Coordinates of all heavy atoms in Angstrom, one line a residue:
D413 N 19.3 16.0 27.5 CA 19.2 15.5 26.1 C 17.7 15.3 25.6 O 17.4 15.5 24.4 CB 19.8 14.1 26.1 CG 21.2 14.1 26.4 OD1 22.1 14.3 25.5 OD2 21.6 13.9 27.6
L414 N 16.8 14.9 26.5 CA 15.5 14.5 26.0 C 14.4 14.8 27.1 O 14.7 15.0 28.3 CB 15.5 13.0 25.6 CG 16.0 12.0 26.6 CD1 15.0 10.8 26.7 CD2 17.3 11.5 26.3
V415 N 13.2 14.7 26.6 CA 12.0 15.0 27.4 C 11.1 13.8 27.2 O 10.7 13.4 26.1 CB 11.3 16.3 27.0 CG1 10.0 16.5 27.9 CG2 12.2 17.5 27.1
V416 N 10.7 13.2 28.3 CA 9.8 12.0 28.4 C 8.7 12.2 29.4 O 8.9 13.0 30.4 CB 10.6 10.7 28.5 CG1 11.4 10.4 27.3 CG2 11.5 10.8 29.7
S417 N 7.6 11.4 29.4 CA 6.5 11.7 30.3 C 6.7 11.3 31.7 O 6.2 11.9 32.6 CB 5.2 11.1 29.7 OG 5.3 9.7 29.9
D418 N 7.5 10.2 31.9 CA 7.4 9.5 33.2 C 6.0 9.3 33.7 O 5.5 9.7 34.8 CB 8.2 10.2 34.3 CG 8.3 9.4 35.6 OD1 7.9 8.2 35.6 OD2 8.7 10.0 36.6
H419 N 5.1 8.8 32.7 CA 3.7 8.5 33.0 C 3.7 7.5 34.1 O 4.1 6.3 33.9 CB 3.0 8.0 31.7 CG 1.6 7.7 31.9 ND1 0.7 8.6 32.2 CD2 1.0 6.5 31.8 CE1 -0.5 8.0 32.2 NE2 -0.4 6.7 32.0
S420 N 3.2 7.9 35.3 CA 3.2 7.0 36.4 C 1.8 7.0 37.1 O 1.6 7.7 38.1 CB 4.3 7.4 37.4 OG 4.4 6.5 38.5
P421 N 0.8 6.3 36.6 CA -0.5 6.4 37.0 C -0.8 5.6 38.2 O 0.0 4.7 38.6 CB -1.3 6.0 35.8 CG -0.4 4.9 35.2 CD 1.0 5.5 35.4
A422 N -1.9 5.8 38.9 CA -2.4 5.0 40.0 C -3.9 5.1 40.0 O -4.4 6.0 39.4 CB -1.7 5.4 41.3
T423 N -4.5 4.3 40.9 CA -6.0 4.5 41.0 C -6.3 5.8 41.7 O -5.5 6.3 42.4 CB -6.5 3.3 41.8 OG1 -6.0 3.3 43.1 CG2 -6.2 1.9 41.1
T424 N -7.5 6.2 41.6 CA -8.0 7.4 42.2 C -7.9 7.2 43.7 O -7.5 8.1 44.5 CB -9.5 7.7 41.9 OG1 -9.5 7.8 40.4 CG2 -10.0 8.9 42.6

Side-chain angles (χ1 to χ4, degrees):
D413 300 272
L414 54 134
V415 180
V416 289
S417 70
D418 188 12
H419 179 66
S420 184
T423 64
T424 302

